[in-house]
Amino acid sequence: MKLFFLPLLIFTLNLIAPFLVASVVKKPNLIVIMCDDLGYADVGFNGCKDIPTPNIDSIAKNGIRCTSGYVAYAVCGPSRAGFMTARYPQRFGFERNPQYQPNDPNMGLTRDEKTIAELLKPAGYHSGIIGKWHLGAHIPASHPMKRGFDEFYGHLGGGHTYFPEKLTIKRSQDAKGESESYRTWLLKNYEPVPPRKYITDDFSDEAVSFVKRNRGLSFFLFLSYNAPHTPLEATEKYLSRFPEIKDKKRKTYAAMVSAVDDGVGRVLAEVRKCGLEESTIVAFLSDNGGPTTKNASQNTPLRGKKGDAWEGGYRVPFAIQWKGELPAGTTYEAPVSSLDLGGTIVALSGARVSEDKPLDGVNLIPFLKGDDKGNPHRAIYLRQFDRNRFAVREGMDKMVITWKGANPQLYNLKVDIGETIDLAEQRPERIEELQKLRKSWNAQLIEPTFLGLIHRPKHGKKKANRE
Ligand code: CA
């Protein structure tokens, strides 16, 4: 009898073996550490001299520095909507910073789009977001835990006050508008938590705890620091590190970046301690370029600042490590996008993507490893609907249209990273090619679906100060 069943048993084992293996091989984790309004030049790996960022730099040292890392928009909300969906936010009408409207379920990320956390959930991932959300303040419609996240610790609006004693509004729903939302208690999942400490340190504590608690799972952690976005506030612990910086604004900004750097170091240490370095991709970037005059950030050598279609608006510090998989200490120069972080983890996790909502983000790993010598993207695009503004970068050439009816400008970033010499008149054929790309991309987009902060009633000088 036993001999009779043996072939059947072997046949069955052969059939199920791949599934047994698949179930025990852990899928890679992804930790994305995003700063808010951090300048291109304000990390050591991009040449910053007055603010040491050894821990952030260690990501580039142990992995890859991407010199042409872009985000999908030059201000917070749409940039984050792009990152969060791995799709250009202009495809689904998220093209303005949302107003803080706890009663409006449509003021934020549409439910027609899936977040990375929602895509990863069926693939068995546990997802957490710590820090800034900014994709809608309606509870429950827009809450992160209604959008695929299993854990949330942070704030729903576009920025926050850093000192615990200034957080005087208990419930997020009670904040009237963006300014007041800066003073709400932080939310632990759905519950307001009594203020504990300087919130950058608080977010770092929570991120370390997240890694420790979830080390046995495949996880996605979005550590979304609101630093160094205004208001400029830092504790003496960090301020005292910069006695040589005399400019008060720059000094406070430096202290805020230094606090983030400490946090990054603690998270990386926990990843090492848990033995997860080889199973965890860690990426670091900013959500848009530095608003130089507001927070004393620097985007050198790039032209422009947050909000612009110049490089300084949406080309950001960008580094990524994956021990054992990606080469260490190298530089990658072809344009990559924040949308690729979702594209990468979705590909590696085997998560399914709806055919009618293909991702713009691609799996970067073959490119970063050098297995694929091509470019991850045909072009990098930017549209700012309210300003009739466009930018298209293909290869080293970039076309910028600053307003409707303006002559397209052309820059060669290889020799002119600061966008100083307009080559449009000399190379009309190149403008024609880039215009063709722009029109074809633009035809796939829709108009913005909600009003933004720029449409709020004017309140003196404070208007539009909360991008
Ligand atoms: Ca920002």
Side-chain angles (χ1 to χ4, degrees):
M1 285 295 279
K2 279 179 185 168
L3 280 177
F4 176 77
F5 281 111
L6 194 59
L8 185 63
L9 182 67
I10 290 170
F11 177 71
T12 311
L13 277 175
N14 274 337
L15 273 183
I16 64 171
F19 298 101
L20 287 175
V21 172
S23 66
V24 293
V25 174
K26 202 165 149 285
K27 296 170 178 178
N29 308 312
L30 174 65
I31 300 177
V32 175
I33 305 170
M34 187 178 278
C35 274
D36 195 350
D37 291 9
L38 177 71
Y40 186 81
D42 291 329
V43 291
F45 71 73
N46 274 355
C48 184
K49 295 279 183 269
D50 59 344
I51 312 171
T53 53
N55 296 299
I56 294 170
D57 297 346
S58 78
I59 298 173
K61 196 173 146 205
N62 297 319
I64 297 181
R65 174 174 80 106
C66 295
T67 56
S68 288
Y70 290 88
V71 289
Y73 206 87
V75 301
C76 318
S79 164
R80 286 156 188 272
F83 159 70
M84 192 57 83
T85 57
R87 283 162 54 80
Y88 276 110
Q90 296 93 339
R91 291 191 187 283
F92 49 88
F94 200 129
E95 207 166 337
R96 295 167 177 147
N97 261 331
Q99 299 173 2
Y100 190 88
Q101 299 278 11
N103 299 316
D104 184 352
N106 298 316
M107 179 61 78
L109 182 61
T110 170
R111 301 198 69 79
D112 293 339
E113 295 291 323
K114 281 198 156 55
T115 67
I116 307 171
E118 284 169 328
L119 290 170
L120 291 175
K121 192 173 269 301
Y125 275 69
H126 182 88
S127 297
I129 165 169
I130 296 164
K132 166 168 164 171
W133 173 240
H134 209 197
L135 299 179
H138 185 273
I139 301 175
S142 302
H143 189 281
M145 293 176 73
K146 294 290 181 187
R147 301 311 312 261
F149 286 93
D150 302 287
E151 300 184 23
F152 172 51
Y153 182 67
H155 55 89
L156 298 172
H160 226 69
T161 290
Y162 295 83
F163 295 128
E165 60 273 21
K166 290 189 175 181
L167 305 182
T168 51
I169 300 171
K170 184 173 177 180
R171 288 168 15 111
S172 296
Q173 303 92 311
D174 293 341
K176 292 176 194 66
E178 183 72 4
S179 289
E180 281 194 15
S181 84
Y182 277 44
R183 293 190 285 113
T184 61
W185 287 15
L186 298 174
L187 289 170
K188 173 74 176 172
N189 299 335
Y190 292 102
E191 293 301 316
V193 176
R196 303 197 281 220
K197 56 165 72 170
Y198 184 61
I199 69 170
T200 300
D201 294 342
D202 202 8
F203 292 153
S204 301
D205 289 352
E206 195 67 21
V208 169
S209 161
F210 179 95
V211 172
K212 193 183 288 181
R213 281 184 284 108
N214 298 304
R215 62 186 179 275
L217 306 173
S218 291
F219 64 75
F220 163 44
L221 169 61
F222 180 30
L223 175 50
S224 175
Y225 286 112
N226 61 307
H229 192 293
T230 54
L232 293 177
E233 294 173 342
T235 56
E236 195 49 40
K237 173 183 171 184
Y238 300 113
L239 287 165
S240 65
R241 293 176 182 177
F242 301 95
E244 71 288 358
I245 301 183
K246 301 302 172 203
D247 178 76
K248 193 168 174 254
K249 224 179 197 184
R250 179 74 179 170
K251 185 190 184 92
T252 311
Y253 174 83
M256 294 166 78
V257 174
S258 198
V260 169
D261 189 69
D262 275 25
V264 172
R266 291 177 54 212
V267 172
L268 292 172
E270 190 61 35
V271 168
R272 271 194 299 277
K273 196 173 145 196
C274 293
L276 297 178
E277 267 185 306
E278 289 169 345
S279 58
T280 305
I281 301 168
V282 182
F284 176 89
L285 75 168
S286 178
D287 68 339
N288 49 251
T292 48
T293 52
K294 280 185 189 165
N295 68 356
S297 51
Q298 294 176 2
N299 301 314
T300 332
L302 309 182
R303 178 176 178 179
K305 59 184 189 308
K306 175 180 179 177
D308 291 348
W310 307 118
E311 295 288 280
Y314 66 118
R315 180 165 165 177
V316 296
F318 198 118
I320 182 166
Q321 72 168 57
W322 188 7
K323 191 177 178 186
E325 290 288 336
L326 294 179
T330 55
T331 297
Y332 188 76
E333 292 185 343
V336 300
S337 164
S338 63
L339 313 188
D340 298 331
L341 298 172
T344 298
I345 196 63
V346 163
L348 296 175
S349 68
R352 287 204 185 147
V353 176
S354 162
E355 276 178 21
D356 62 336
K357 298 272 172 65
L359 305 186
D360 290 303
V362 302
N363 179 5
L364 284 181
I365 303 303
F367 297 99
L368 298 179
K369 282 172 93 163
D371 296 342
D372 191 328
K373 307 283 186 207
N375 290 320
H377 299 278
R378 170 76 192 270
I380 297 286
Y381 301 93
L382 178 71
R383 182 181 83 173
Q384 297 178 329
F385 182 87
D386 291 315
R387 294 172 174 176
N388 277 302
R389 187 179 282 168
F390 289 90
V392 179
R393 174 176 173 181
E394 187 193 34
M396 281 295 178
D397 291 333
K398 176 179 171 186
M399 179 183 72
V400 185
I401 300 172
T402 51
W403 47 274
K404 194 173 187 175
N407 287 331
Q409 303 176 36
L410 180 69
Y411 298 94
N412 183 287
L413 299 174
K414 191 175 178 68
V415 295
D416 181 25
I417 194 173
E419 299 171 278
T420 61
I421 306 160
D422 181 4
L423 305 169
E425 278 191 24
Q426 296 167 39
R427 300 180 61 197
E429 80 297 339
R430 192 64 178 125
I431 289 287
E432 208 169 295
E433 288 165 4
L434 294 171
Q435 280 283 35
K436 205 182 256 183
L437 283 177
R438 179 186 73 83
K439 285 175 187 164
S440 149
W441 179 69
N442 191 45
Q444 300 166 34
L445 313 179
I446 65 171
E447 294 192 2
T449 56
F450 54 80
L451 296 177
L453 285 182
I454 52 170
H455 301 101
R456 288 176 313 162
K458 291 186 181 182
H459 294 296
K461 285 182 183 173
K462 284 191 173 175
K463 193 213 164 237
N465 196 31
R466 296 298 192 196
E467 288 194 330

